[in-house]
Amino acid sequence: MNSDALPPGYDISTAPERLDRALIHQWLSQDAYWALGRPREKQDLAIAESLNFGVYDSASGAQVGYARVVTDQATFAWLCDVYIAPTVRGKGLGTALVGAVKDHLAPHGLRRILLATADAHGVYAEVGFEPLGEPGKWMVLGEQ
């Protein structure tokens, strides 16, 4: 899978066998504000029940990024757990990853793709995401 915005030397894949589950858990449970302390069992289950995207260094094959999507592949998707390793941030990999997710989901004709972020609005805006037009329509059960 290639995004036009993907910097040279990296590739994006949805192949489950390429995922470094231990590394993903480490990244999210130790460095991602939204998943701090997430147990490995929960992370493994989330991976198993989601559409997963990995970003890889083409030369070494090492995983350097991750995102997952919860979707029915018909009407709705939730983009979550988007993470780029600190050592490769600033190269456009996050924007390329989100663009690849958007391109992958496009053929399904989904009504909406949602996400939540506290600090990366600019990354998502570059790919076409925008704030909810009518946030008063939305409700949540659980953490906010």
Side-chain angles (χ1 to χ4, degrees), residues 67-81:
R68 70 184 181 91
V69 177
V70 181
T71 183
D72 58 12
Q73 298 188 33
T75 63
F76 176 81
W78 176 262
L79 173 59
C80 53
D81 289 346

Side-chain angles (χ1 to χ4, degrees), residues 33-34 116 138-144:
Y33 68 84
W34 65 90
W138 296 88
M139 298 181 74
V140 65
L141 178 64
E143 291 184 36
Q144 291 197 40

